[in-house]
Amino acid sequence: MIDNISWLAIYPEIVLLTMACVIALVDLGVHSPRRTSTYVLTMLTLAVVAALQAMYASSGNTFYGFGNMVVSDAMGNWLKCFATVAMMVTLVYGRPYAADRDMLRGGELFTLAMFALLGMFIMISGNNFLVIYLGLELLTLSSYALVALRRDNATATEAAMKYFVLGAMASGFLLYGLSMVYGATGSLDIGQVFKAVNSGQIKHQVLVFGLVFVVAGLAFKLGVVPFHMWIPDVYQGAPTAVTLMIGGAPKLAAFAITIRLLVDGLLPLAIDWQQMLAVLAIGSLLVGNLAAIAQTNLKRMLAYSTISQMGFVLLGLMSGVINGNVDATAVENAYSASMFYVITYVLTTLAAFGVILLLAREGFESEEISDFAGLNQRSPLYAGVMAVCLFSMAGIPPLVGFYAKLAVLQALIASGQTIYMAMAVFAVIMSLIGAFYYLRVVKVMYFDAPLTATNVSAPADVRVVLTINGALVLVLGLLPGGLMALCADAVVRALAT
């Protein structure tokens, strides 16, 4: 018999799954080429789910269900709330683009998006190795199908095949690593794994061997060097609306499973996995920023930008435990800084890709940097939104990207370790190099002659959401305290259990 607590822990997931099935069935009777009724029903469902998650998160309660296999806590619920909002914004931006490219012949775009979101929810809520893996596979299988949604487009099909092959390899890494940890500890429950590892009675070599594969699998999902090979090709080859689905909300789920596995489950091995994360972070900052300079395709440039941005997230994750000693203040500062960084990164990415989607039109993909020439003369508003996003990614004050980088660097420096301070200096130098390719796009928008005199037009919902999205990047940079406090409180509550 399943108790009420178990149902309560996954109530938003049940609503999402039920409505995804209902929407798939309802869509069979929809004949509109723009799928208006399917779109409206999807957005209403996501709005209800986001409200439920916000309500759960605001309560601050933590409870477990289904034999401790799932957990509902403040950190998970806020991440699921933000992931739902990100998916809503993605669908607002992507629907006109998808309609122009005949991607709405069926309701697959909306149904697959909801199943992908359900996969993220399961990943975020997972308190058991198998549950996390099932959520990961649901997300990745939906993503493969979304990338290949333009069946008649060879580039998208090629990107889907690359994504599938490399994704399967990464899933194998993660599953093998988890099986090694299970073999060593005798449990799939993350809490029991922590107790077993913390007891010190398990062979360290066996655990570290499994840990290497776990970190490799997580690194692929985060898209960090040297497991970044799929990101540039998939970002460029996928339909832009799908690129945003892959590059936005799933980063929140990847951050969550990293916290669940490495911090909740394998914290006693922090001295080992922090060294791995340090190498991944340095490689990501170096390769991401240097490779982005050579790109002429904006989507590919933003792909390498993503790699470098995830390097900053790893810097925060690796600075929570100092010399194997767990300090509550250091843990709170480090992990909340990483959570703040990944949330604000997703917010900025949404607006940047929103402008790319806005400029695309039937038969034309606005994804080359040269396509943005003279955008300020055609539309000062959208040029301004794009400039704000690029400046934020570069870490220029007073935008939110600056504060996010500052929070991570403060967590690094607060450790007092010489090596961490050296990495902070390295991160700043890489950010200065990275500013070049962001400012290059701004220069093209404001100082180059436009290639066309066509005015930029957008549906009312896209215009409103994009304006709010761009404004939030500025407002959260000026007033970051509220979101930062929310992240700190969520992390403390999650780790306290």
Side-chain angles (χ1 to χ4, degrees), residues 310-335:
M310 290 301 105
F312 260 97
V313 174
L314 294 185
L315 288 179
L317 289 171
M318 56 161 279
S319 58
V321 180
I322 304 167
N323 292 331
N325 299 316
V326 180
D327 178 76
T329 302
V331 166
E332 177 186 340
N333 292 339
Y335 300 148

Side-chain angles (χ1 to χ4, degrees), residues 89-99 103-104 109 241 244 357 462:
V89 173
T90 300
L91 291 176
V92 170
Y93 294 158
R95 181 170 166 251
Y97 174 95
M103 292 168 62
L104 299 182
L109 177 67
L244 182 52
L357 286 164
V462 175

Side-chain angles (χ1 to χ4, degrees), residues 279-366:
V279 174
L280 296 175
I282 291 172
S284 300
L285 288 167
L286 184 65
V287 173
N289 285 306
L290 294 182
I293 293 174
Q295 307 307 314
T296 58
N297 183 282
L298 186 56
K299 285 167 65 178
R300 200 171 182 86
M301 188 201 86
L302 290 175
Y304 282 108
S305 165
T306 295
I307 295 167
S308 67
Q309 301 286 348
M310 290 301 105
F312 260 97
V313 174
L314 294 185
L315 288 179
L317 289 171
M318 56 161 279
S319 58
V321 180
I322 304 167
N323 292 331
N325 299 316
V326 180
D327 178 76
T329 302
V331 166
E332 177 186 340
N333 292 339
Y335 300 148
S336 63
S338 286
M339 182 176 173
F340 181 87
Y341 198 105
V342 76
I343 290 170
T344 54
Y345 163 76
V346 171
L347 174 71
T348 310
T349 298
L350 288 170
F353 274 96
V355 176
I356 297 174
L357 286 164
L358 180 65
L359 296 183
R361 53 188 182 274
E362 191 172 356
F364 176 73
E365 298 287 342
S366 178

Side-chain angles (χ1 to χ4, degrees), residues 230-485:
W230 64 279
I231 286 193
D233 290 338
V234 173
Y235 270 45
Q236 183 179 1
T240 307
V242 177
T243 301
L244 182 52
M245 285 187 187
I246 295 170
K251 291 291 186 275
L252 300 171
F255 169 80
I257 62 170
T258 302
I259 291 288
R260 299 288 189 213
L261 294 175
L262 297 186
V263 180
D264 288 352
L266 301 171
L267 190 62
L269 299 176
I271 198 167
D272 297 301
W273 55 254
Q274 282 180 327
Q275 296 175 31
M276 301 179 202
L277 296 188
V279 174
L280 296 175
I282 291 172
S284 300
L285 288 167
L286 184 65
V287 173
N289 285 306
L290 294 182
I293 293 174
Q295 307 307 314
T296 58
N297 183 282
L298 186 56
K299 285 167 65 178
R300 200 171 182 86
M301 188 201 86
L302 290 175
Y304 282 108
S305 165
T306 295
I307 295 167
S308 67
Q309 301 286 348
M310 290 301 105
F312 260 97
V313 174
L314 294 185
L315 288 179
L317 289 171
M318 56 161 279
S319 58
V321 180
I322 304 167
N323 292 331
N325 299 316
V326 180
D327 178 76
T329 302
V331 166
E332 177 186 340
N333 292 339
Y335 300 148
S336 63
S338 286
M339 182 176 173
F340 181 87
Y341 198 105
V342 76
I343 290 170
T344 54
Y345 163 76
V346 171
L347 174 71
T348 310
T349 298
L350 288 170
F353 274 96
V355 176
I356 297 174
L357 286 164
L358 180 65
L359 296 183
R361 53 188 182 274
E362 191 172 356
F364 176 73
E365 298 287 342
S366 178
E367 57 184 52
E368 297 295 325
I369 293 176
S370 57
D371 294 333
F372 282 72
L375 178 59
N376 182 57
Q377 299 176 39
R378 297 168 57 199
S379 174
L381 173 62
Y382 302 132
V385 170
M386 191 65 175
V388 163
C389 294
L390 293 170
F391 284 142
S392 179
M393 290 181 186
I396 295 175
L399 302 170
V400 71
F402 166 76
Y403 188 82
K405 284 180 168 60
L406 180 63
V408 169
L409 294 174
Q410 284 177 332
L412 270 176
I413 294 171
S415 68
Q417 301 294 301
T418 304
I419 185 66
Y420 284 7
M421 292 182 183
M423 291 182 69
V425 172
F426 175 78
V428 171
I429 293 172
M430 288 298 103
S431 294
L432 291 174
I433 294 174
F436 168 77
Y437 56 84
Y438 294 121
L439 296 178
R440 180 180 59 182
V441 180
V442 177
K443 175 259 179 188
V444 168
M445 291 193 300
Y446 281 87
F447 298 105
D448 286 12
L451 301 178
T452 176
T454 307
N455 290 328
V456 181
S457 59
D461 57 343
V462 175
R463 188 165 59 249
V464 170
V465 173
L466 188 57
T467 303
I468 295 172
N469 197 166
L472 280 174
V473 175
L474 175 59
V475 171
L476 287 175
L478 295 170
L479 303 169
L483 181 57
M484 193 68 205

Side-chain angles (χ1 to χ4, degrees), residues 144 147-148 154-168 234:
Y144 301 152
V147 174
T155 306
T157 305
E158 179 188 354
M161 286 300 296
K162 290 178 179 177
Y163 192 17
F164 173 73
V165 172
L166 292 173
V234 173

